[in-house]
Amino acid sequence: DSGVTQTPKHLITATGQRVTLRCSPRSGDLSVYWYQQSLDQGLQFLIQYYNGEERAKGNILERFSAQQFPDLHSELNLSSLELGDSALYFCASSVGMGNTEAFFGQGTRLTVV
Amino acid sequence: GEDVEQSLFLSVREGDSSVINCTYTDSSSTYLYWYKQEPGAGLQLLTYIFSNMDMKQDQRLTVLLNKKDKHLSLRIADTQTGDSAIYFCAENFGAGSYQLTFGKGTKLSVIP
């Protein structure tokens, strides 16, 4: 168990809908990262938050947004969902901004039908 | 841009050594990582190596880094059936961040 908790584990929704994925980082970790794992693109970095502020942005679509709350949990919001958004979404956390290690959660598997 | 390449499949017999290879393109990477993903599970960090090191050993795992050729390998000694998983090589391209570029993963199958 990495200590990073993601909910829900599975999510099935229809095209055009909006969903929210939640991540609780390890106790004491200030940074949260979101990654997407899909069959065609592999694992891609989406976005990083550090202590509530956006720190780095990767290949995140404009239809997607994220935030980190004062209690350090983070949410990834996906809207106007398309079939191609079906993927495994991982959250990771680390103590600081650029540590040698980050710990991944179990992921949320999103299926868009 | 950054790119990490791995072979997709590797099959070994139980008890043999496994060697998973990876090439990367970003010479400014400071750390390179190996992650393991078992079916239905998250990503487990196995080990990492700093870019100024040539080798790192951790129990059954040996990481070799050839910075000149941008080649990274993971050797698993005495491979067990529990080692069957997908192994991802990753490089950290983000300064002051943990922005990883992952390879597509190598599926290791261990034959009893």
Side-chain angles (χ1 to χ4, degrees), chain A residues 8-77:
Chain A
K9 286 199 169 88
H10 302 276
L11 198 48
I12 300 175
T13 190
T15 54
Q17 295 297 306
R18 173 190 167 93
V19 297
T20 297
L21 312 184
R22 184 188 167 101
C23 169
S24 294
R26 293 188 318 155
S27 177
D29 284 0
L30 298 179
S31 270
V32 168
Y33 310 81
W34 287 97
Y35 283 83
Q36 179 196 58
Q37 184 179 32
S38 62
L39 282 174
D40 52 346
Q41 298 290 328
L43 270 157
Q44 289 195 99
F45 168 73
L46 294 179
I47 197 164
Q48 176 201 359
Y49 278 80
Y50 174 77
N51 204 21
E53 301 288 326
E54 184 184 301
R55 177 73 177 87
K57 212 172 212 182
N59 297 322
I60 188 166
L61 299 172
E62 283 192 16
R63 298 183 286 110
F64 297 179
S65 64
Q67 52 185 328
Q68 186 179 26
F69 294 86
D71 67 353
L72 301 176
H73 91 270
S74 178
E75 293 180 355
L76 180 66
N77 300 297

Side-chain angles (χ1 to χ4, degrees), chain B residues 6-24:
Chain B
Q6 300 178 243
S7 52
L8 293 181
F9 301 98
L10 177 65
S11 184
V12 299
R13 292 210 172 271
E14 190 173 18
D16 287 351
S17 291
S18 308
V19 179
I20 303 171
N21 294 301
C22 166
T23 57
Y24 62 96

